């Protein structure tokens, strides 16, 4: 309204009034008098609008000064704490360290209620060296070249242990390897096309946003177990080869072929025979595992082994791992009440396949019906329904240990069993998080996040001055430095397994919340806890139980 009045007021200027008033004497006394009254009213309105404008201007100036004052306070606070960035605060050394071999709890668990302990084999009972990923990669690569006619030059590819982490997703429609956070958002520095990291702009050009929608999620394949390291690296290398060679390809076919090759080296027994041919290179001996299993037996617990691997491979591996333990070389089977091999998980949990008794001497399956599990016998296939009918073990008294969140743990959880996720890289990541250098960067990151939150809360879009822009740039630059340093401590390409660079939990961490009552780096860590222990989830966790948030006050009080 004020702007409309200002557009009309110039029509009532003094020069126009005089020309109109003296143009004719008759008009001057009639129309002229009312005209002057109208102009007086406009003049009065002009004064009122002017007063309102003055008040608005004074308020705007006051608001600007207030905002500038708040920005100055944040700037002063930032400058003050930045002085503390020159050295690690002594208070960091007094902070408690997390136990790399601890058991971390998502859901409360009373161990005295657990009567039955079940175990997967690969990466659960069996510990492998880093050499195994190269073996799987090389065998799958050879299958791609020799059987699926991939270019001969691919034989020169080498497994890169510094590239993949567990919990990535492959987008079979776009050809990208993604690291997602807890909410399904692509990590800004966690999207690779082949071996090239994509920029934020490129991510948005492909996906429209960093948030993965329901339709886009249908094309994602989760790489969740420990064998996925070699699979993720081989997928990226094959995509990069086709890009470099400027050859047309369908990214969906790349995944299908690589996954087929990975499955082939397992199902054909190539990788199994390779491991047993040189167990010292691939398997890690583990006397603590025997002590843990014997402790459970001594406490009267029931034990079973449920694995997708063939019996000869499990037998060879267990003999090697436990051969240095007195009296156990030929008797590992006596530790278990039931041994089931080639179970075909996760189909095992939903199918109605019958168990077959396996003849270890003749490598054959018996034809007799299995309606009871006999000591020292080996069983193949089967299903959860028959397993529960035969054993009479009820859900809440059973806990199952496995490394694959989907194949191993999702089915047991739905059956009412308790679940324990075995995450080997947990140990190394906790050791990194315990280091003062990591906590130093973490504290810097948190305080900058707090300052950015304050800055955004007091400044509207219309109030973004040069002072604001300068401070925002400084804060973002310092935050990015802290992010980069923390990321390089874990994995140069994708960072930490459980956290994204932005401090959010990863999608992998989200699935651990979903499917694991507890998680730890290896089963024998339970030796540190009495079998009657009550395991409680922390009441105040905002991120995973093994994470510690380093407070920014360490810098403020230093």
């Amino acid at each position: 309204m004020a702007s409309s009045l200002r557009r009309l007021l110039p029509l009532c200027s003094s020069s126009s009034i005089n020309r109109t008033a003296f143009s004719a004497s008759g008009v001057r006394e009639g129309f002229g008098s009312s005209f002057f009254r109208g102009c007086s009213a406009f003049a009065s309105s002009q004064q009122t609008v002017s007063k309102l404008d003055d008040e608005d201007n004074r308020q705007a100036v006051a608001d600007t000064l207030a905002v500038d004052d708040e920005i100055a306070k944040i700037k002063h606070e930032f400058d003050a704490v930045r002085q503390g960035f020159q050295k690690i605060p002594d208070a960091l050394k007094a902070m408690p360290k997390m136990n790399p071999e601890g058991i971390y709890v998502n859901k409360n668990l009373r161990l005295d209620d657990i009567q039955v302990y079940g175990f997967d084999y690969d990466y659960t009972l069996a510990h492998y060296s880093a050499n195994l990923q190269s073996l799987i990669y090389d065998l799958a690569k050879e299958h791609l070249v020799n059987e699926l006619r991939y270019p001969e030059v691919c034989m020169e590819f080498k497994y890169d242990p510094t590239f993949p982490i567990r919990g990535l997703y492959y987008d079979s429609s776009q050809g990208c390897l993604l690291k997602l956070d807890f909410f399904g958002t692509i990590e800004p520095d966690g999207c690779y096309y082949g071996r090239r990291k994509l920029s934020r702009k490129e991510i948005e050009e492909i996906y429209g946003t960093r948030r993965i929608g329901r339709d886009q999620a249908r094309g994602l394949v989760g790489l969740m177990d420990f064998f996925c390291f070699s699979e993720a690296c081989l997928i990226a290398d094959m995509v990069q080869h086709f890009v470099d060679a400027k050859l047309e390809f369908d990214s969906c076919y790349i995944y299908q072929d690589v996954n087929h090759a990975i499955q082939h080296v397992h199902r054909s027994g190539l990788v199994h025979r390779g491991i047993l041919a040189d167990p010292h290179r691939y398997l890690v001996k583990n006397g603590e595992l025997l002590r843990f299993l014997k402790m459970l037996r001594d406490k009267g617990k029931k034990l079973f082994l449920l694995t997708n691997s063939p019996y000869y491979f499990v037998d060879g591996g267990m003999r090697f791992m436990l051969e240095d333990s007195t009296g156990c070389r030929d008797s590992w089977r006596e530790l278990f009440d039931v041994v089931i091999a080639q179970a075909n998980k996760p189909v095992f949990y939903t199918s109605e396949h019958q168990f077959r008794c396996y003849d270890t001497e003749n490598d054959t399956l018996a034809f007799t019906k299995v309606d009871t599990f006999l000591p020292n016998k080996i069983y193949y296939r089967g299903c959860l329904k028959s397993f529960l009918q035969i054993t009479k073990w009820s859900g809440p008294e059973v806990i199952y240990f496995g490394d694959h969140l989907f194949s191993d743990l999702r089915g047991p959880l739905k059956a009412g069993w308790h679940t324990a996720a075995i995450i080997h890289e947990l140990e190394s990541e906790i050791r990194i998080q315990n280091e003062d250098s990591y906590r130093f960067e973490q504290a810097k990151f948190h305080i900058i996040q707090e300052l950015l939150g304050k800055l955004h809360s007091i400044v509207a879009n219309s109030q973004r001055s040069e002072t604001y822009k300068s401070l925002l740039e400084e804060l973002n630059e310092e935050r990015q430095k802290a992010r980069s340093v923390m990321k390089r401590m874990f994995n140069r390409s994708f960072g930490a397994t459980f956290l994204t660079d932005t401090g959010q939990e990863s999608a992998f961490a989200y699935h651990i919340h979903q499917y694991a009552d507890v998680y730890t780096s290896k089963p024998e860590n339970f030796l540190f806890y009495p079998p009657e222990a009550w395991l409680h989830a922390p009441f105040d966790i905002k991120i995973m139980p093994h994470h510690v948030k380093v407070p920014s006050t360490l810098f403020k009080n230093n």
Side-chain angles (χ1 to χ4, degrees), residues 5 38 43 56 156 182 262 285 318 328 345 403 434 492:
L5 288 172
D56 289 344
E156 300 175 7
F182 197 92
I262 295 288
K285 296 200 174 195
M318 291 293 283
C328 191
K345 295 175 293 182
D403 72 296
N434 281 342
R492 70 181 187 186

Side-chain angles (χ1 to χ4, degrees), residues 199-217:
S199 66
R200 293 193 183 201
K201 182 179 180 181
E202 289 175 312
I203 293 172
E204 292 176 359
E205 287 175 353
I206 295 173
Y207 295 99
T209 174
R210 288 196 296 112
R211 184 70 178 266
I212 294 294
R214 181 176 298 178
D215 292 339
Q216 293 168 323

